[in-house]
């Protein structure tokens, strides 16, 4: 039995470690000027994701064969004081297992698809490096057993997503859209940072069991009082809404279509947009303790679904139309979570992720053979302006004016603050040295 426990623990550790080691391998070769051939890189990536999938299947089989609800792996940690304890904890349970199996299988599928799709593309090795960074961040997010691990992996997930949106860096459009998504990520990630601070101030530990409660998912009961649970839950909802492009942070998802089609399929159609839903499912005990939080999650999801359905009806680009279709489904998943369902959103997310991956991967072929089509999948229909009405049609064409509002309320004040801080910095340096300083 101890040998089986160690084997299962090693499998859990290897699920994120394998793409992490691939990152180090590709990064080191690029740093020292070695560029392996495309076939060599693609074969290595297929082995990495195949082994990660095998590890996930092995750990899942052990989990159900032993009849235990959670498999916990404590890798390390350190204690700053009597009341503050940081732990690097990974856990595999009934919630994380389906998402890990989905992640490893879809990443392997996309790696195989990308071998030919990105043939002779500039940045071929860089693409697979970012794919491994994304897989590392996503698997750690799903397997995280503490809020420290969750925050670190959440940042890796956002960074790799933004860099893949701007993958075609020789064109200004992808770079601009990647920066836009990165700014939205950074603003919404403040919720996770503040939630971490609040958790340590109240529970003195970041392990999920210390604040989400003992027991196994979905039958946990939070150790926080209802008011504290509501505060932490609303902060997590802010981060989840940003990562899942929920209203009013939906503007970055259509911009993400600038990235390569394989990354669009696995990230913004299948995995990344469901990370926010996973976060709210993981914090289900907080929703159970706060009806107001559950109502907010339901309201955000339903508003997003209605908004995406309305805007998606007038899109003339296939990938953009698919993006809004995905957004509508993710909104419904959030609404289901807010209504108190737990297994239904999991099944919905896995089914939707599989469907969207196939649709996004088929999009270039469909466009190639049917270039005269103006849209597919809930796309533009003749006479829709008459049916919707002029005002509704204009609202949908402008995507709900969300980008205009975000630029005026978020981006412009942020840039003004940066310019003001730069001027202050130059004035202080000039005053200290007695002359103008660069």
């Amino acid at each position: 039995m101890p040998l089986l426990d160690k084997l299962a623990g090693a499998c859990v550790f290897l699920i994120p470690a394998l793409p992490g080691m691939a990152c180090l391998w590709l990064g080191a070769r690029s740093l020292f000027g070695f560029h392996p051939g495309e076939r060599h890189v693609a074969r290595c990536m297929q082995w990495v994701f195949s082994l990660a999938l095998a590890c996930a299947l092995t750990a899942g089989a052990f989990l159900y064969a032993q009849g235990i609800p959670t498999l916990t792996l404590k890798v390390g940690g350190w204690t700053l004081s009597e009341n503050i304890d940081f732990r690097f904890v990974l856990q595999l349970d009934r919630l994380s297992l389906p998402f890990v199996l989905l992640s490893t299988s879809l990443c392997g599928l996309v790696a195989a698809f990308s071998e030919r799709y990105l043939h002779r593309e500039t940045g071929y090795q860089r693409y697979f490096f970012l794919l491994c960074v994304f897989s590392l961040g996503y698997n750690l997010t799903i397997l995280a057993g503490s809020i420290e691990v969750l925050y670190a992996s959440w940042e890796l997930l956002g960074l790799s997503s933004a860099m893949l949106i701007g993958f075609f860096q020789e064109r200004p459009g992808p770079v601009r859209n990647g920066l836009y998504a990165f700014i939205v990520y950074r603003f919404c990630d403040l919720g996770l940072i503040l939630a971490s601070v609040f958790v340590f101030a109240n529970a003195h530990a970041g392990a999920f069991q210390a604040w989400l409660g003992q027991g196994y998912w979905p039958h946990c009961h939070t150790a926080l009082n209802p008011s504290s649970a509501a505060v932490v839950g609303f902060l997590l909802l802010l981060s989840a809404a940003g990562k899942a492009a929920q209203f009013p942070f939906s503007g970055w998802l259509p911009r993400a279509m600038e990235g390569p089609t394989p990354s669009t399929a696995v990230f913004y159609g299948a995995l990344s947009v469901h990370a926010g839903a996973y976060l709210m499912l993981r914090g289900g005990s907080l929703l159970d303790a706060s009806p107001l939080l559950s109502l907010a999650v339901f309201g955000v999801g339903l508003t997003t679904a209605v908004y995406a359905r309305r805007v998606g009806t007038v899109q003339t680009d296939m990938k953009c139309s698919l993006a809004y279709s995905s957004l509508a489904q993710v909104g419904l998943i959030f609404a289901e979570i807010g209504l108190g369902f737990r297994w239904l959103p999991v099944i919905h997310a896995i089914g939707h992720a599989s469907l969207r991956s196939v649709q996004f991967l088929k999009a270039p072929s469909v466009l190639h053979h049917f270039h005269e089509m103006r849209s597919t999948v809930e796309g533009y229909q003749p006479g829709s302006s008459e049916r919707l009405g002029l005002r509704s049609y204009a609202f949908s064409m402008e995507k709900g004016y969300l980008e205009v509002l975000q630029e005026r309320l978020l981006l412009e004040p942020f840039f003004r603050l940066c310019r003001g801080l730069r001027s202050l910095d130059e004035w202080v340096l000039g005053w200290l040295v007695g002359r103008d300083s660069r």
Side-chain angles (χ1 to χ4, degrees):
M1 292 300 295
L3 181 60
L4 289 177
D5 292 344
K6 292 181 180 179
L7 176 62
C11 288
V12 172
F13 177 77
L14 285 174
I15 293 171
L18 285 168
M21 290 185 289
C23 290
L24 294 176
W25 176 70
L26 289 173
R29 294 186 71 95
S30 297
L31 184 63
F32 293 104
F34 297 102
H35 299 284
E38 291 183 1
R39 185 176 296 273
H40 181 62
V41 173
R43 291 292 179 269
C44 289
M45 292 301 101
Q46 291 178 23
W47 274 105
V48 165
F49 292 119
S50 297
L51 290 175
L53 177 59
C55 289
L57 290 171
T58 303
F62 174 83
L63 191 73
Y64 281 96
Q66 297 298 318
I68 54 178
T70 304
L71 180 61
T72 303
L73 177 64
K74 297 180 180 179
V75 181
W78 64 93
T79 302
L80 297 182
S81 66
E82 283 187 12
N83 296 326
I84 302 297
D85 190 21
F86 290 92
R87 293 291 175 184
F88 187 89
V89 182
L90 301 178
Q91 69 176 27
L92 186 71
D93 60 4
R94 298 175 180 179
L95 175 61
S96 56
L97 180 60
F99 283 91
V100 164
L101 292 174
L102 178 70
S103 167
T104 51
S105 58
L106 287 184
C107 285
L109 173 66
V110 168
F113 180 87
S114 303
E115 179 183 0
R116 292 181 179 274
Y117 187 84
L118 293 173
H119 178 54
R120 294 186 178 180
E121 183 70 56
T122 303
Y124 186 90
Q125 183 171 324
R126 174 164 53 92
Y127 167 82
F128 281 100
F129 172 80
L130 293 175
L131 178 63
C132 290
V133 173
F134 177 88
S135 178
L136 170 63
Y138 190 84
N139 288 334
L140 277 178
T141 298
I142 301 303
L143 294 172
S146 65
I147 201 165
E148 309 95 291
V149 180
L150 176 63
Y151 176 72
S153 58
W154 197 261
E155 294 303 305
L156 281 176
L157 191 60
L159 178 62
S160 59
S161 298
M163 294 183 71
L164 276 162
I165 295 172
F167 179 80
F168 299 110
Q169 56 193 18
E170 66 277 3
R171 295 189 280 117
V175 176
R176 182 173 58 251
N177 292 334
L179 288 173
Y180 183 92
F182 185 71
I183 291 173
V184 174
Y185 283 160
R186 297 306 300 159
F187 175 79
C188 294
D189 288 352
L190 287 174
L192 190 55
I193 297 175
L194 295 176
S196 303
V197 173
F198 199 86
V199 163
F200 274 98
N202 287 268
H204 309 296
F208 288 162
Q209 293 182 352
W211 55 285
L212 289 180
Q214 300 289 336
Y216 58 91
W217 188 89
H219 304 294
C220 298
H221 299 283
T222 180
L224 303 176
N225 58 61
S227 58
S228 299
V231 171
V232 175
F234 274 106
L235 292 173
L236 293 181
L237 176 59
L238 175 61
S239 292
K243 196 71 72 181
Q246 296 298 285
F247 190 89
F249 307 109
S250 306
W252 70 263
L253 186 60
R255 293 172 176 262
M257 302 301 109
E258 290 280 4
T261 294
S263 66
T264 300
V266 74
F267 301 159
Y268 319 113
L271 299 180
S272 184
V273 294
H274 293 103
Y278 172 84
L279 181 59
M280 299 315 301
L281 284 169
R282 177 59 70 188
S285 60
L286 302 177
L287 276 70
D288 296 336
S290 174
L292 182 60
L293 176 61
S294 298
L295 181 61
V297 174
F298 172 76
V300 168
L302 185 61
T303 303
T304 304
V306 173
Y307 161 79
R309 179 64 181 89
R310 172 66 70 181
V311 175
T313 55
V314 299
Q315 300 305 307
T316 58
D317 177 76
M318 182 178 185
K319 290 178 69 175
C320 201
S321 180
L322 284 172
Y324 279 105
S325 298
S326 297
L327 191 56
Q329 293 298 318
V330 176
L332 291 177
I333 292 172
F334 267 73
E336 293 165 359
I337 296 172
L339 288 175
F341 295 103
R342 293 297 177 261
W343 282 111
L344 178 61
V346 174
I347 298 172
H348 191 171
I350 293 174
H352 174 247
S354 303
L355 173 65
R356 293 302 180 207
S357 296
V358 174
Q359 287 181 329
F360 273 107
L361 291 177
K362 289 174 61 179
S365 299
V366 173
L367 291 176
H368 176 73
H369 293 294
F370 304 99
H371 58 85
E372 72 280 0
M373 295 173 62
R374 300 193 64 180
S375 182
T376 59
V377 187
E378 301 180 1
Y380 177 85
Q381 299 294 332
S384 59
S385 60
E386 290 78 13
R387 290 198 303 269
L388 295 176
L390 293 178
R391 291 184 179 180
S392 179
Y393 182 75
F395 176 86
S396 301
M397 285 297 294
E398 293 296 332
K399 301 175 182 178
Y401 302 100
L402 279 185
E403 295 188 6
V404 176
L405 291 175
Q406 288 175 357
E407 288 179 3
R408 292 184 178 179
L409 299 179
L410 177 61
L411 297 181
E412 291 181 3
F414 176 75
F415 289 140
R416 284 199 298 268
L417 175 63
C418 291
R419 287 192 292 268
L421 292 175
R422 178 182 177 182
S423 300
L424 178 63
D425 180 67
E426 292 175 350
W427 180 83
V428 171
L429 287 177
W431 179 72
L432 289 175
V433 302
R435 64 180 184 277
D436 292 338
S437 173
R438 297 184 66 87

